[in-house]
Amino acid sequence: MPSPDPLSGVVADAERGNWVDRYFRQSLKPYARLARWDRPTPLLLLFWPCAFSLAMAALADPARGFDWSAALLMLIGSVAMRGAGCTLNDIVDADLDAQVERTRSRPLPSGAVSKRQAALFLGAQLLVGFVILCQFNAMTIGLGVLSLALIGIYPFMKRVTWWPQFFLGLAFSWGALLGWTSQIGSLSLAPLVLYLGSILWVIGYDTIYALQDIEDDALVGIKSTARLFGSRVKPVVALFYAAAIVCWIVAGTLAGGAGIFIPLLVVPVLILGWQVLTLDPASPPNALMRFRANHWVGLALAAAFFLQHLF
């Protein structure tokens, strides 16, 4: 297959007609694609654990209320840090991405940007993330700095373990701790259980996402839970999702959730159940649609915490 044209304005695994392709200047598009601004679902998946823990902190301390300014800062920080993580991942994986059908048209393997340019862009995004982090208390800043280790090691995990989704879960769920400490100033069992639930959720949904590349990954030697679980992928993902729901129930209960919180969890349960029951592991479009549905799971869980806080 011929190499993709870096000036074509098309990336194979992005939505057609996305806002980056429509509105960004041609010279800026490769950087927006490096940061994955053309696909907002994973960005929100990084933000939702922050929202969970902010709402759970409001539930635990009703007098404090929900901190909307912290939510906005964490949303901006999620944009910066998700972009930084994706940029680092693409720098590390440029040679592998060139061998995978879905990823070979990304900016680095296609030649739209150089590794030096990508590294400079990575530094700029990390700087934005650090400035946002410095708006919070000392414990939150310390935890945020620690998360850089998880961001740094994740791109290498697919080479050494069948569980790179676990390491993604550790990094993508970190906001479940940051939101809580930004309000309470310390950790307790409730945010730790919330964090565990988010890790299990990420393993489940990223296993579904990895089904898109399972054949190419096998050819180039990339490990994933999608390959590890094989024909058992649907029941195993179901187990991870079920365990995540149990953790979220426990976390909410520890934080004072009662009344409407548990009944409201029927919404994320139904969305997760639909994903598993209708998943076709052999169909990349099917897997991508079910992966994207996790945005609504995050919204529903954040709303459950928030509504319990209100009522």
Side-chain angles (χ1 to χ4, degrees):
M1 178 177 291
S3 299
D5 178 4
L7 300 178
S8 67
V10 175
V11 174
D13 61 339
E15 293 182 14
R16 294 296 175 262
N18 64 76
W19 74 292
V20 168
D21 288 348
R22 288 200 306 269
Y23 301 119
F24 273 56
R25 292 177 55 183
Q26 193 66 33
S27 61
L28 298 178
K29 286 180 181 179
Y31 297 98
R33 292 170 185 150
L34 272 176
R36 307 295 195 273
W37 295 342
D38 54 345
R39 57 203 80 181
T41 294
L43 183 159
L44 292 169
L45 291 176
L46 182 62
F47 168 69
W48 285 127
C50 302
F52 302 161
S53 56
L54 285 171
M56 194 172 74
L59 176 60
D61 185 3
R64 180 183 296 274
F66 186 83
D67 191 337
W68 291 101
S69 62
L72 178 59
L73 286 170
M74 289 185 179
L75 177 60
I76 298 170
S78 295
V79 174
M81 296 311 297
R82 186 241 180 173
C86 290
T87 303
L88 175 61
N89 191 71
D90 282 8
I91 292 171
V92 173
D93 285 351
D95 293 339
L96 290 175
D97 284 346
Q99 302 175 61
V100 175
E101 178 67 25
R102 185 177 63 85
T103 58
R104 65 179 56 180
S105 55
R106 287 179 176 175
L108 277 165
S110 71
V113 297
S114 67
K115 285 192 175 182
R116 180 178 180 276
Q117 290 170 322
L120 291 172
F121 184 51
L122 169 62
Q125 292 174 95
L126 290 173
L127 179 60
V128 172
F130 183 70
V131 170
I132 294 294
L133 186 62
C134 287
Q135 308 309 305
F136 297 105
N137 58 43
M139 184 169 191
T140 304
I141 293 172
L143 284 173
V145 171
L146 284 177
S147 72
L148 294 176
L150 297 173
I151 295 170
I153 66 172
Y154 167 68
F156 301 96
M157 292 300 102
K158 63 177 69 71
R159 294 166 169 82
V160 299
T161 175
W162 289 101
W163 290 89
Q165 280 70 28
F166 168 69
F167 290 91
L168 181 68
L170 292 175
F172 249 58
S173 303
W174 203 252
L177 305 178
L178 297 181
W180 179 274
T181 59
S182 74
Q183 304 301 300
I184 306 300
S186 63
L187 285 173
S188 62
L189 186 57
L192 292 174
V193 176
L194 183 71
Y195 178 56
L196 175 59
S198 184
I199 293 170
L200 296 168
W201 177 44
V202 173
I203 293 172
Y205 72 59
D206 201 59
T207 296
I208 291 175
Y209 186 80
L211 289 170
Q212 298 176 92
D213 299 325
I214 198 165
E215 293 182 2
D216 285 335
D217 286 352
L219 288 174
V220 300
I222 295 175
K223 298 179 173 67
S224 72
T225 48
R227 291 185 60 202
L228 176 65
F229 300 154
S231 61
R232 302 167 297 161
V233 68
K234 290 179 69 169
V236 176
V237 168
L239 286 174
F240 277 106
Y241 279 168
I245 290 291
V246 170
C247 287
W248 292 337
I249 290 172
V250 172
T253 302
L254 289 170
I260 66 171
F261 173 70
I262 293 177
L264 286 172
L265 291 184
V266 70
V267 178
V269 167
L270 288 174
I271 300 172
L272 293 172
W274 168 79
Q275 289 179 42
V276 173
L277 290 173
T278 63
L279 178 64
D280 179 359
S283 171
N286 174 283
L288 181 59
M289 180 180 290
R290 278 132 194 86
F291 163 76
R292 286 175 174 163
N294 283 284
H295 160 62
W296 301 107
V297 175
L299 176 61
L301 180 59
F305 279 117
F306 182 73
L307 290 171
Q308 178 63 70
H309 155 64
L310 289 182
F311 300 107

